[in-house]
Amino acid sequence: MSETSHNPIILDYEPISYLKMLKRYARKLPRYTKDYLCSFFPIVYWIHRYNLTWFISDLIAGITVGIVVVPQGMGYAKIANLPPEYGLYSSFVGLCIYCFFGTSKDISIGPTAVMSLLVGQTVAKVATPESGYTGPQIGVAMALFGGIIAVGIGLIRLGILVDFIPEPAIAGFMTGSAITIAIGQYPKLFGMTGVNTHDAAYLIFGNFFKHLPDTHADVAFGLIGLFFLYGVRYTTTKLGKKYPHYDKLWFFINIMRNGVLVIFGTLFAYLVVRFGKWEDPISILEDVPSGFTAMGVPTVDTNLLSEIAGTLPSVVIILILEHVAIAKSFGRKNNYKINADQEIIAIGVANIIGCFFGAYPNTGSFSRTAIKARSGVRTPLAGVFSGLVVLLCLYALTPAFYYIPDAILAAVIIHAVSDLVSGPKFVQHLWQINPLELFTFVAAVIITFFTSVEYGIYVSVALSLFFMMIRIARPRYAVIGRVPVRPLRAENGNEKKGDDVEYVYVKENHPTMRDIVEPPPPGVLIFRFDESLTYPNAGFISDKIMHYVQDNFTSGRPPPTTRGERAWNDRRPLVKKEDLEAVMAAQEASGRQLRAIVLDFAAVNHLDSTGVQALLDLRLAINRYVGRDVEWHFASLATPFIRNALITAGFGRQNGRESHPVELVPVVPIQDQSGNTSRRNSNSSGTATDVCVIDTEEVPDIDISEKRSVYYSIHQIQSSSESSAHSTPTVHDSGNNVTSINDSKPQSVLTARTSSPSVINIDSQGNVSYYPLLERGVPIDRYCFFHWDLEDAVRAATFASSRD
C-alpha cells in the first residue's frame, strides 16, 4: 500500500464568515472595476493586432454579407409595414456599431424576419388615423426603448434571464413567425391587391384562396424567382458534395443567388414597365429616397410609450434571444468565447444609436451570420465593410431600386424564412425526449399562427416557466437499493475472504435492474434527491419521506390492545395484552425498525432555510413515529455552504456523538518538548492486505481509559451483535497480539492491522463511533455524519443499526 493511502484527507472547512468574504471582495474591487469597464469595449483586446491578412478576409466577408443584406433589408422593411429604405438604415447602423462592443467575429446585425413581423403587427395596431403616429415613428420608439432595456440588463449582468427560455419555446414562436411571414407574402407573390396582409395568418391564408382569380403577372416573377433560389441552392449543394475541391466556388455562387435574382428581376421589370403594352402590369418598389432622410433625434411622448409598452417585453426577448443564441452557437462552432452580457450591451447600444438614423429594432441574423462565417471572416470589423456596401447602395443605387418587383422581394423573403421552420425530425426528437416540451412548441406555433407573434412569445415563455416551476416544486426522488457487483480484491489480485462486496446504488424500482436490486441493510433507509432542497419543494419531499417510513417501517408505539386505545388513523389490528411482548419482539426481529436514514445529496446544489427546517421537522416526526432517535447520514455534500447549514441545524452532532475526537492528520505538525516536529502517521505492515489504522502514539501497552481512541473492524461488531446485544470486539496491536475489550471493564489493548471495510473509534468514555475505511482512499469529514460518497454513508448507517 502506498504511503499516501495512510494519510487520509480530512475535510474540516473553515467556518464560513460572510464578513471575511466581503472584505476579500472589497480588496479585489479595484481590479474588478477595471475589468468591468474594459469589458465594455472588447475591441481594445484585438485591434492592435490587426494585420493585412485579417483585412483581406474581413473585406471579402463584409462585401459578401453586404450583397445579401441589401435585398433582405428592403424586404424585411416591407414586412414591418415600413418604407424599404428603413431596412437599409437598420442594416447600416447595426453592422457598423457592433464591432466596437461585440465579442463574436461571425454575427451579423440587422433586420430579421421575426422582429420585422413583430414591428409590422405593432405598427398595424398603433398607427391608426386616430392616433396620429406613423409607422417609422413607432419603429424608432421600439428600437430606442428596447435598446435601453437591453443595455440595462447587460450592465447589471442579468443575461441569465434568457436562460429561463428553453429552445422549444424559441423554436415554437420562430416557426410560427416564419409560417406567418411566408403566408403574408403569398398575395404579393401572386400580385393580389385585395388581401389585407395585416390580418392574422389564418385569415390571410383563407383570403389568398378567395382572391386567386385576381392573380396578376407578378406571379411569373415570383414563382420563377422562387424556383431559381431553391434550384441554385439545391444544385450548389449537390455539386459541393460531388466536387468538394471547389467547395468555396459553390459557396459563393450559392450566396450570390439573392443579388443575381434581384438584378435580373429588376432588369426584366424595367423592360416590362417601360416597353410593355399594359398599364401597371406588375407591382414595383418605386421611389427609394437617397441617403439618410430620417436622421434626427427621435420624438417620443408618453402616449406613444404607453401604446407600445405591451410589446416592449417581446421586443427585448427577441433582441436578446436571437442574438445571444446565434453568437453562442457560432462561438462553439469556431472555438472562441462569447460574453453573453456584453453581447446584450452591444445589441442594445446598436439599437439606441440606430434610432437616431431612423432604424427600427435589429438583432443578429442566423442566415447572414452563417454566410459571414463561411466567407472566412477574421474579426468583427468585417461588419463595417458590410455597412459600407449598404451605404453605397443608399447613395448611389437607389434610382435602380425603383423597378425592383415586389414579387421578387416576396420570393427572397419566403426563401429566407423557410430555414426558420423546425422540421419533422425536430418534432420527433421533442416527442421522444420530453412531450411537455413538444406541447410548448406546438402551443407557440398555434398561438402565433392564429393571433400574433407577441402572444406566441408570451404563451411559450409562460408555459416554459410553468413547467420549470412544477419540476422544481414536485421534483423526482428515489428510494435507493443496491446491487452487488464484485468482491473487493486485494492488491495482489486475489479475492478477499469474507463477505466484503462492492455495491452500486440504484433505485429500488430501476427499470432494468429491479430483479437484482437488494434492499438496504435492515433498519436503514436510503433516499436520493434529484433537485435542490428549497422552499418550493421542501414540504413535498419531507411528506414523501415520512409517508415511506410510515408504510415500510414499524411504529415504535405498542399496538393497541383495546378499541379505546386505538388512534383514529391506526390501522393495526388489536393485540391481546398477554401477546404484546411477543408481538413487540417479533417487530424487533423483523428488521423493519428504522435505525438510520441516509440522504444522497449529490444533486442538491442549494439548501435554504425552509429546506433545513423541513429536515428538522421531519427528523422530529420520524423520531416520534419510531420511538427512538434515528441517525441521519448525508452523502456527497456539494458545497461547504450546504455542510454549514446542516451543522447549524444540528445534524453534525446527533445522539451525543460529535465530531471525531482526534486530529487524524493535523494541519500544523505537532511539536514535542525538544522542538522537533512530528506528524501522526499510521503504521504499515509488510502484507498487501493490511488495513490502514491511524495510531496517535507508539505505545506498546495502553489502557483504554487513558487512550483517546482505538480502532477495530466493524464486522467484528456485527458478528458479535448477532449473539449478544453488547459486543466484545477484538482489538489488534502493532505487534500482531490480540486482546479483547469488554464494555463494562476496559482492558489494556494493543493495536495491529487486519483487513476490514471500516474502522471504529472508542473514546475514553467507552462511546463507540464509526470511521471510514482509510484504504478506500476517500476523504473523511470531521463530522462523522457527513460522508464523501454513498458507500461510506451506508456503512456508517449499517453500524448505527447493528450496534443497537
Side-chain angles (χ1 to χ4, degrees):
M1 185 177 295
S2 62
E3 183 180 352
T4 56
S5 64
H6 294 284
N7 296 319
I9 302 173
I10 306 302
L11 300 180
D12 192 11
Y13 300 101
E14 181 182 353
I16 298 175
S17 172
Y18 293 100
L19 180 60
K20 288 183 179 180
M21 295 174 61
L22 182 61
K23 290 180 179 179
R24 191 181 304 119
Y25 180 82
R27 287 195 300 268
K28 298 180 180 180
L29 186 60
R31 180 168 63 86
Y32 290 158
T33 303
K34 178 183 176 182
D35 295 341
Y36 177 73
L37 295 177
C38 291
S39 67
F40 291 156
F41 300 95
I43 190 174
V44 301
Y45 295 108
W46 56 265
I47 191 61
H48 59 279
R49 299 194 302 271
Y50 204 79
N51 53 62
L52 181 61
T53 303
W54 292 5
F55 171 78
I56 295 175
S57 299
D58 288 346
L59 181 63
I60 295 173
I63 293 175
T64 302
V65 173
I67 295 173
V68 175
V69 76
V70 170
Q72 280 192 358
M74 291 188 293
Y76 289 153
K78 301 286 282 185
I79 296 176
N81 290 327
L82 299 175
E85 62 268 20
Y86 283 87
L88 300 179
Y89 301 158
S90 301
S91 302
F92 170 77
V93 178
L95 291 169
C96 293
I97 294 299
Y98 176 78
C99 68
F100 297 98
F101 301 93
T103 60
S104 171
K105 70 179 181 66
D106 297 302
I107 199 163
S108 177
I109 306 298
T112 63
V114 179
M115 181 61 76
S116 299
L117 177 62
L118 179 62
V119 173
Q121 292 176 342
T122 305
V123 168
K125 180 175 61 176
V126 178
T128 59
E130 294 79 12
S131 66
Y133 298 119
T134 63
Q137 189 177 3
I138 296 170
V140 166
M142 294 173 69
L144 175 62
F145 289 105
I148 291 174
I149 296 173
V151 170
I153 291 174
L155 288 176
I156 59 180
R157 301 303 195 236
L158 285 181
I160 188 177
L161 294 177
V162 302
D163 295 334
F164 288 94
I165 304 176
E167 181 180 350
I170 301 172
F173 69 74
M174 292 190 71
T175 298
S177 300
I179 295 173
T180 301
I181 292 170
I183 292 176
Q185 296 303 308
Y186 287 166
K188 295 181 181 180
L189 193 73
F190 283 74
M192 300 176 184
T193 57
V195 179
N196 184 6
T197 56
H198 300 159
D199 291 335
Y202 74 97
L203 293 176
I204 300 175
F205 190 71
N207 290 329
F208 166 74
F209 289 100
K210 180 179 178 181
H211 288 82
L212 270 180
D214 301 332
T215 300
H216 290 77
D218 302 70
V219 67
F221 286 85
L223 292 181
I224 293 175
L226 206 57
F227 290 143
F228 171 79
L229 292 173
Y230 281 105
V232 170
R233 185 167 74 173
Y234 177 81
T235 303
T236 53
T237 302
K238 286 291 186 181
L239 291 175
K241 294 179 180 179
K242 189 173 182 180
Y243 304 102
H245 296 295
Y246 302 99
D247 183 65
K248 208 72 173 177
L249 175 63
W250 309 131
F251 166 70
F252 281 107
I253 292 176
N254 185 32
I255 63 174
M256 295 293 292
R257 64 188 186 277
N258 286 336
V260 171
L261 176 63
V262 171
I263 292 173
F264 282 96
T266 303
L267 177 61
F268 283 118
Y270 172 77
L271 296 177
V272 170
V273 173
R274 292 296 301 269
F275 305 105
K277 299 180 180 180
W278 305 279
E279 183 178 354
D280 297 331
I282 60 173
S283 175
I284 57 177
L285 205 58
E286 298 184 350
D287 290 325
V288 177
S290 176
F292 292 95
T293 58
M295 183 180 294
V297 178
T299 57
V300 180
D301 55 35
T302 55
N303 291 331
L304 177 57
L305 179 59
S306 63
E307 290 286 345
I308 65 174
T311 310
L312 285 179
S314 298
V315 172
V316 175
I317 290 174
I318 295 177
L319 278 180
I320 296 176
L321 276 183
E322 279 197 282
H323 184 87
V324 174
I326 294 171
K328 285 184 176 181
S329 175
F330 281 87
R332 289 190 296 266
K333 181 178 179 181
N334 296 321
N335 196 27
Y336 60 86
K337 295 180 180 179
I338 292 297
N339 186 335
D341 292 307
Q342 183 59 31
E343 289 298 313
I344 296 174
I345 293 175
I347 197 65
V349 171
N351 279 276
I352 292 174
I353 297 177
C355 71
F356 291 90
F357 289 81
Y360 71 91
N362 57 90
T363 185
S365 167
F366 183 83
S367 61
R368 296 194 296 270
T369 299
I371 292 172
K372 190 176 178 183
R374 287 284 305 276
S375 300
V377 63
R378 300 298 296 272
T379 72
L381 200 62
V384 175
F385 302 120
S386 300
L388 292 178
V389 173
V390 177
L391 190 66
L392 176 66
C393 293
L394 271 172
Y395 280 96
L397 299 180
T398 50
F401 294 160
Y402 184 93
Y403 291 100
I404 295 179
D406 285 337
I408 291 294
L409 288 181
V412 170
I413 293 171
I414 293 173
H415 179 66
V417 301
S418 63
D419 294 331
L420 299 178
V421 179
S422 299
K425 183 174 291 187
F426 178 80
V427 175
Q428 181 182 4
H429 286 172
L430 284 184
W431 172 254
Q432 293 173 347
I433 295 172
N434 190 345
L436 289 179
E437 291 186 328
L438 176 61
F439 176 77
T440 301
F441 170 81
V442 173
V445 173
I446 293 176
I447 296 298
T448 302
F449 181 80
F450 284 97
T451 57
S452 66
V453 63
E454 179 182 352
Y455 294 138
I457 292 173
Y458 292 154
V459 169
S460 61
V461 171
L463 284 175
S464 301
L465 294 177
F466 174 75
F467 290 140
M468 182 187 67
M469 289 187 292
I470 290 295
R471 181 177 57 82
I472 294 175
R474 294 295 180 266
R476 294 181 179 178
Y477 60 92
V479 178
I480 302 299
R482 56 185 185 173
V483 178
V485 288
R486 63 182 175 86
L488 289 172
R489 294 181 180 273
E491 291 184 0
N492 59 11
N494 296 324
E495 289 193 6
K496 291 184 177 181
K497 304 300 181 182
D499 56 353
D500 296 341
V501 177
E502 286 185 355
Y503 292 94
V504 292
Y505 292 86
V506 299
K507 295 193 297 183
E508 282 188 337
N509 57 347
H510 193 278
T512 58
M513 293 189 289
R514 56 178 176 267
D515 295 331
I516 60 174
V517 174
E518 295 181 359
V524 177
L525 168 63
I526 312 174
F527 197 90
R528 185 180 70 199
F529 302 103
D530 287 343
E531 289 285 345
S532 294
L533 189 60
T534 54
Y535 66 92
N537 59 29
F540 173 78
I541 290 294
S542 62
D543 288 344
K544 291 300 179 181
I545 297 177
M546 189 66 208
H547 294 164
Y548 186 87
V549 170
Q550 292 172 338
D551 294 339
N552 295 273
F553 293 94
T554 58
S555 173
R557 295 179 300 171
T561 57
T562 63
R563 294 180 181 273
E565 291 180 0
R566 185 189 304 191
W568 66 274
N569 60 342
D570 192 346
R571 298 182 179 181
R572 293 179 294 177
L574 297 178
V575 176
K576 297 180 180 180
K577 291 184 178 181
E578 56 271 18
D579 297 335
L580 186 58
E581 291 185 3
V583 171
M584 295 298 293
Q587 289 182 359
E588 289 285 343
S590 66
R592 297 183 63 212
Q593 295 287 329
L594 182 61
R595 309 287 184 178
I597 295 177
V598 177
L599 298 182
D600 185 359
F601 264 45
V604 178
N605 296 310
H606 182 64
L607 178 64
D608 64 6
S609 58
T610 306
V612 171
Q613 186 60 48
L615 290 178
L616 290 172
D617 295 340
L618 179 61
R619 180 173 67 173
L620 180 62
I622 291 178
N623 289 346
R624 187 182 300 117
Y625 174 76
V626 301
R628 65 174 60 84
D629 289 338
V630 175
E631 284 191 359
W632 290 64
H633 295 263
F634 299 85
S636 306
L637 299 181
T639 67
F641 295 95
I642 295 177
R643 180 178 181 270
N644 182 69
L646 294 173
I647 292 173
T648 304
F651 286 101
R653 298 175 174 88
Q654 303 177 42
N655 303 341
R657 297 168 58 194
E658 300 190 359
S659 58
H660 292 318
V662 292
E663 187 177 18
L664 298 180
V665 180
V667 178
V668 180
I670 300 171
Q671 292 189 355
D672 55 24
Q673 294 179 354
S674 62
N676 298 323
T677 61
S678 63
R679 187 178 293 273
R680 298 183 182 124
N681 294 326
S682 59
N683 296 335
S684 61
S685 71
T687 61
T689 58
D690 285 343
V691 172
C692 177
V693 177
I694 297 178
D695 299 326
T696 57
E697 296 182 53
E698 291 284 348
V699 181
D701 192 8
I702 307 167
D703 193 317
I704 195 171
S705 61
E706 299 174 356
K707 180 75 172 167
R708 292 192 65 188
S709 61
V710 179
Y711 305 95
Y712 58 95
S713 170
I714 188 175
H715 282 282
Q716 293 160 352
I717 285 285
Q718 291 176 333
S719 61
S720 300
S721 63
E722 293 177 359
S723 58
S724 174
H726 299 284
S727 63
T728 305
T730 303
V731 182
H732 307 272
D733 71 329
S734 57
N736 294 329
N737 297 321
V738 182
T739 56
S740 62
I741 302 175
N742 189 280
D743 289 5
S744 60
K745 183 179 180 180
Q747 303 289 331
S748 296
V749 296
L750 301 176
T751 56
R753 238 103 24 224
T754 62
S755 176
S756 67
S758 52
V759 286
I760 308 301
N761 174 66
I762 303 179
D763 61 18
S764 58
Q765 306 299 323
N767 297 320
V768 182
S769 59
Y770 167 88
Y771 277 112
L773 175 65
L774 302 183
E775 68 180 8
R776 290 189 66 228
V778 298
I780 302 172
D781 200 290
R782 179 70 62 187
Y783 287 88
C784 55
F785 297 97
F786 304 148
H787 307 275
W788 182 257
D789 59 8
L790 197 56
E791 173 67 22
D792 186 58
V794 173
R795 290 179 173 180
T798 304
F799 164 70
S801 177
S802 64
R803 69 190 177 93
D804 287 339

